Amino acid sequence: MMNKDLYLSRIGYKAELILTFEVLKDLQKAHLLNIPFENLDIHFGNYIRLDIERIYQKVVVNKRGGFCYELNGLFYELLEALGYQTKRISARVFDSKKGYSKEYDHLVIIVEIDAQEYLVDVGFGEFTFGPLKVELDTIQQDERGDFVIDMLDENWFRVGKVIDKAVTPQYIFKNQQREFDEFAEMCQYHQTSPESHFTQKRLISKPTENGRITLTGDLLKIKEGEEVTEAVLKGEEAFHRELWNHFNIRIERGTAKDG
């Protein structure tokens, strides 16, 4: 069973819990700042299953991170437990070379407050700090940039990031409730297929108030404001040292995959 207090402690949330937009916004930002996006299990032989109890143990109890199915999947459960009206939806991520990915490529959350729906996402790397109102053709200002939601066609909502009046698509989605196990096939694909970008190199990343810290492959990148520093890590010992220094994570290689 999920211990809500332990989960809230994991993300450093100590304020009042009422079912408002402002509390939702604070919960999302706290989650992003304290739980990293990472694919390390894929590279250390630890199979990822869409099992909420197992994900809760990994992310909350063992203080790890995860990728979208884990992070948004678990955050959905917390919001439900707190009493928010939520919907688990599927999104297809945009790639400038390949176009939009397959259905169930990304898991996102829709939360309804006072008859208004909001897009909530704590598992998409560099994205918003707060929820986006599901309102068409309106530029929404977030701490991490400007975003807009419009319609790709009559079926698909499209989320775009606005930079210098140009809009770069992030992903598209149908506003339709999905079951967690519907994402299982794509979760399997992303951790086993050589065509998945998650199998290409190990990655762990989390935002800071003014930047981002990322370990990818053997490169440590720290962005603070406009200043960026990079360091090439020499060997596994250096990787694990920086993994602990910046993310407080120790990880061991698993045995045979159990999927």
Side-chain angles (χ1 to χ4, degrees):
M1 297 293 291
M2 178 185 295
N3 183 322
K4 292 182 290 186
D5 291 335
L6 186 60
Y7 196 154
L8 293 169
S9 176
R10 171 76 175 97
I11 65 175
Y13 186 85
K14 301 176 181 178
E16 187 177 7
L17 282 169
I18 51 178
L19 303 182
T20 64
F21 170 78
E22 288 303 324
V23 169
L24 178 63
K25 181 180 178 181
D26 290 344
L27 286 168
Q28 178 172 329
K29 183 176 179 180
H31 202 289
L32 287 162
L33 289 173
N34 288 282
I35 299 182
F37 183 95
E38 54 123 316
N39 69 356
L40 299 182
D41 276 348
I42 295 171
H43 296 270
F44 285 89
N46 303 314
Y47 190 80
I48 300 167
R49 287 190 298 182
L50 298 188
D51 180 323
I52 287 298
E53 290 187 10
R54 183 168 171 168
I55 296 168
Y56 172 83
Q57 180 72 29
K58 171 184 175 179
V59 174
V60 176
V61 179
N62 297 338
K63 298 183 178 180
R64 287 279 307 280
F67 64 170
C68 75
Y69 308 116
E70 298 170 286
L71 300 184
N72 281 325
L74 192 60
F75 195 43
Y76 169 90
E77 298 292 336
L78 176 64
L79 296 177
E80 280 268 296
L82 294 175
Y84 280 102
Q85 186 174 341
T86 60
K87 202 176 343 183
R88 192 190 293 109
I89 65 169
S90 166
R92 298 166 56 195
V93 178
F94 179 74
D95 182 282
S96 59
K97 296 179 180 179
K98 299 179 182 179
Y100 291 101
S101 60
K102 295 180 180 179
E103 187 76 283
Y104 303 110
D105 184 52
H106 183 48
L107 189 159
V108 198
I109 305 164
I110 294 285
V111 176
E112 183 176 327
I113 303 173
D114 297 330
Q116 173 62 59
E117 290 187 316
Y118 298 91
L119 182 75
V120 175
D121 196 336
V122 295
F124 195 59
E126 185 58 40
F127 197 55
T128 65
F129 262 168
L132 292 175
K133 184 183 293 187
V134 183
E135 180 178 87
L136 298 180
D137 305 318
T138 300
I139 294 178
Q140 302 183 51
Q141 296 180 333
D142 182 84
E143 291 182 69
R144 305 303 271 197
D146 293 341
F147 295 83
V148 64
I149 296 177
D150 64 4
M151 298 298 295
L152 176 66
D153 56 32
E154 62 181 10
N155 295 312
W156 295 94
F157 290 84
R158 175 172 53 191
V159 185
K161 187 168 186 178
V162 184
I163 301 176
D164 296 329
K165 297 183 179 181
V167 180
T168 301
Q170 303 297 296
Y171 53 75
I172 57 175
F173 67 92
K174 288 182 179 179
N175 195 348
Q176 179 181 347
Q177 167 72 12
R178 303 292 189 179
E179 297 303 320
F180 199 32
D181 61 8
E182 292 184 74
F183 296 87
E185 183 177 345
M186 285 303 290
C187 181
Q188 166 83 2
Y189 166 84
H190 277 305
Q191 59 188 310
T192 59
S193 173
E195 296 182 4
S196 165
H197 58 276
F198 289 114
T199 62
Q200 303 305 307
K201 63 173 63 174
R202 55 193 178 186
L203 165 72
I204 181 167
S205 181
K206 70 176 179 180
T208 61
E209 285 283 359
N210 300 304
R212 178 169 287 276
I213 303 171
T214 302
L215 262 173
T216 179
D218 295 313
L219 181 69
L220 171 64
K221 181 177 179 180
I222 300 176
K223 184 177 185 295
E224 192 65 26
E226 298 301 317
E227 184 177 344
V228 178
T229 58
E230 294 184 351
V232 177
L233 306 179
K234 298 181 180 179
E236 286 298 292
E237 183 178 340
F239 177 87
H240 286 279
R241 182 178 64 248
E242 299 302 339
L243 182 62
W244 175 255
N245 288 343
H246 294 285
F247 300 96
N248 294 322
I249 287 176
R250 289 194 175 98
I251 185 170
E252 297 181 2
R253 182 174 293 278
T255 55
K257 293 189 175 185
D258 60 359

